[in-house]
Amino acid sequence: MKHVLALSTLYPNPVNPRFGTFVARSLEALAKRGDWQVTLVNPIGLPPLALGRYRPLADLPAVSEEGGITVHRPRFTLIPRIGARRNAGAIARACLPLVRRIHTATPIDMLDAQFFFPDGPAAAAIAQAMGQPLSIKARGSDISFWGEQDFARKQMLGAAQTATGMLAVSRDLAGQMAELGMDAERITVHYTGLDRDRFRPFGHTQLRAQLSRELGFEMPDNAPLLACVGALIERKGQGIAITALREIPGARLVLIGKGEDEARLRALAVSEGVADRVHFAGSIDHDLMPLILSASDVMVLPTVSEGLANAWVEALACGTPVVTCDVGGARELIACDTAGRLVARNPVAVAAGINAVLANPPAREAVAALTEAFSWDANAAALAAHYERLLA
C-alpha cells in the first residue's frame, strides 16, 4: 500500500461540517480502495487573538480519524483579509515539521495539494524540502480569481513548475491553467464524483408538502420551484436569480447556502417585491439536498466563474435541469436542452432560460442519465491512476 499525504485548507470539521465535503468524499473513496493510505493535513488559520468565529476553530482537535483517514489540523497564523500573500509560506512553515514526523512513522510516496491557492505553493515548498513528488489540483476560483492577483499568480506558477503533475476539474479549467503559463502536458482533467445512492430522482407525490413542513416555506405543486445552491456571495449570482423571479409567474426560489451577501439579498428580495417567494434555507442537512433538488423544476446558478460546479452535477443526477452561465466546465455538462440552458448573466436572460425549461420540461430520468459516468468510485480510480503515473 502506498501513502499519499494530502494538504487541503478546505475540509469538513465539527465547526464547518459542509466545508469541502467534495474533498473529503474523494479522499475517502481513495482510502476505501485499499491501495493507497491517505493522510490529510488541514491547516487551520487563526489570527493572533482567536476570538469570535475563530474561537471554535482554535478548539478543534489536532488529530482525528474521519472516514478512514487520519486528519491532522496544525495551526498557522492568519491575518484576516490582508494576509493572503503570506498564507502559503505560513502554512508551509507550520506543516513541514508535522509532515516530517508523519513521513518518519509511515514513509510518504506522494504529496497532494487539493487547491492551487494557497495549498499549491505551500505543498510545493514542503515537497522541495523533502524531495517528494507532488500533485496539485485546480478547482476553479483558485485559478480564475487568484490567477488575477499578481502575487498569487507568481506563487502558483512557481508551484506548477515544482509539481510532478497537475489536475483540473474540467477541460475549460485546464485551458485556463495553460493560458496562465502552466505546462499543459502535465495537466490531467479529473472530474468530480457523485454519491449515486444519495443524488438520484425522488419522485413521490408528497415530496413538496414534506419539504414545505421541513423548511417552513410553502412550495405548492402547481407553482414552479427553483433551487439555487452555493455560498451567498456576489459572484454566485443569487441576486440575479431573485430579480429574475419577476418574469417567472408564481415561481418559488430556495437559496441553499450561507454567506456574507445574505443581508443584501434579503433586502433585494423585498425591493423586488418577491420576498414572499424566496426562502433562505442556509446550510441544510446533506440528506435534504437531494430531496430539494428532486422537488425542483430547475436548479439556477447565474455564477460568474466555476471550475465544474458540484451543484450542477448533483442537480442533474436528481433529474433537475440546470440554468447557469457559460463559464468553466458548464458546456461539458450542459451540452443539450435535456440538461438545461446556458444563458447570459443578467435577470432577463436567466428568466428566459428558466421559462424555456418550464415550457418544455425534459423527462427526469433522461436528465439523470446524463451523469451516469460520475461516481466517487470512478473519481478515486482516476486519482489513483494519476498518482501511479506520477510515480512511474
Side-chain angles (χ1 to χ4, degrees):
M1 182 184 293
K2 295 185 176 65
H3 183 196
V4 59
L5 184 141
L7 187 148
S8 182
T9 48
L10 195 64
Y11 203 79
N13 61 54
V15 178
N16 297 301
R18 301 291 304 136
F19 272 15
T21 53
F22 46 90
V23 178
R25 298 297 87 80
S26 176
L27 295 178
E28 287 166 1
L30 178 66
K32 186 179 177 182
R33 285 170 51 88
D35 52 348
W36 281 88
Q37 177 183 343
V38 181
T39 299
L40 191 283
V41 175
N42 172 216
I44 301 295
L46 299 173
L49 195 57
L51 301 174
R53 64 189 178 93
Y54 292 102
R55 182 69 257 169
L57 293 174
D59 294 333
L60 288 171
V63 61
S64 59
E65 295 292 327
E66 302 173 15
I69 296 173
T70 302
V71 179
H72 298 265
R73 292 192 170 94
R75 277 54 170 171
F76 70 97
T77 301
L78 175 76
I79 308 300
R81 298 188 181 277
I82 61 171
R85 70 175 59 245
R86 63 176 298 280
N87 282 346
I91 291 169
R93 288 189 295 274
C95 293
L96 181 56
L98 169 65
V99 176
R100 289 192 190 279
R101 290 196 300 272
I102 293 170
H103 181 61
T104 298
T106 308
I108 296 166
D109 298 285
M110 173 68 60
L111 291 173
D112 175 293
Q114 285 288 312
F115 293 86
F116 231 104
F117 191 84
D119 308 23
I126 294 170
Q128 285 186 307
M130 297 188 61
Q132 292 282 346
L134 170 67
S135 173
I136 306 177
K137 187 164 189 174
R139 295 183 178 272
S141 61
D142 45 1
I143 300 299
S144 61
F145 176 78
W146 290 110
E148 294 181 353
Q149 317 298 313
D150 289 344
F151 74 90
R153 182 172 62 252
K154 181 178 179 180
Q155 290 181 27
M156 287 193 292
L157 288 175
Q161 291 179 338
T162 297
T164 317
M166 294 168 281
L167 295 172
V169 297
S170 68
R171 294 193 302 270
D172 178 87
L173 188 61
Q176 292 182 45
M177 294 162 69
E179 290 175 5
L180 206 63
M182 298 180 187
D183 183 1
E185 295 297 318
R186 292 189 291 123
I187 302 171
T188 299
V189 175
H190 184 224
Y191 285 121
T192 187
L194 175 69
D195 186 337
R196 303 196 63 82
D197 292 329
R198 175 174 277 125
F199 290 96
R200 53 188 174 85
F202 289 82
H204 63 80
T205 55
Q206 295 300 310
L207 184 54
R208 286 198 186 179
Q210 172 191 335
L211 289 171
S212 294
R213 292 190 296 270
E214 190 93 24
L215 298 178
F217 178 65
E218 190 64 29
M219 293 178 279
D221 288 329
N222 62 353
L225 180 60
L226 316 175
C228 183
V229 182
L232 302 185
I233 54 178
E234 195 282 330
R235 73 177 183 85
K236 292 290 185 180
Q238 290 94 347
I240 295 171
I242 289 171
T243 302
L245 279 183
R246 296 181 308 180
E247 306 301 325
I248 312 168
R252 269 62 169 180
L253 173 64
V254 177
L255 302 179
I256 301 168
K258 62 181 181 179
E260 60 192 30
D261 216 23
E262 181 171 342
R264 184 187 72 84
L265 292 171
R266 286 184 180 275
L268 178 65
V270 172
S271 66
E272 293 291 339
V274 296
D276 60 332
R277 294 198 280 142
V278 179
H279 179 65
F280 291 79
S283 293
I284 62 170
D285 185 280
H286 198 52
D287 289 332
L288 265 184
M289 183 78 81
L291 299 181
I292 295 174
L293 290 173
S294 292
S296 299
D297 297 293
V298 176
M299 202 288 278
V300 55
L301 189 68
T303 180
V304 72
S305 66
E306 296 289 336
L308 190 139
N310 292 277
W312 295 337
V313 179
E314 292 171 352
L316 294 174
C318 290
T320 304
V322 173
V323 172
T324 191
C325 303
D326 189 4
V327 297
R331 282 187 177 271
E332 295 164 48
L333 285 176
I334 318 301
C336 61
D337 285 355
T338 299
R341 301 292 190 280
L342 297 178
V343 298
R345 195 174 186 262
N346 64 73
V348 173
V350 168
I354 292 170
N355 284 324
V357 173
L358 295 175
N360 187 24
R364 301 193 78 89
E365 295 77 12
V367 178
L370 298 172
T371 63
E372 285 180 351
F374 290 86
S375 73
W376 287 121
D377 287 345
N379 175 276
L383 185 57
H386 168 72
Y387 291 158
E388 295 288 352
R389 285 194 299 270
L390 300 189
L391 292 176

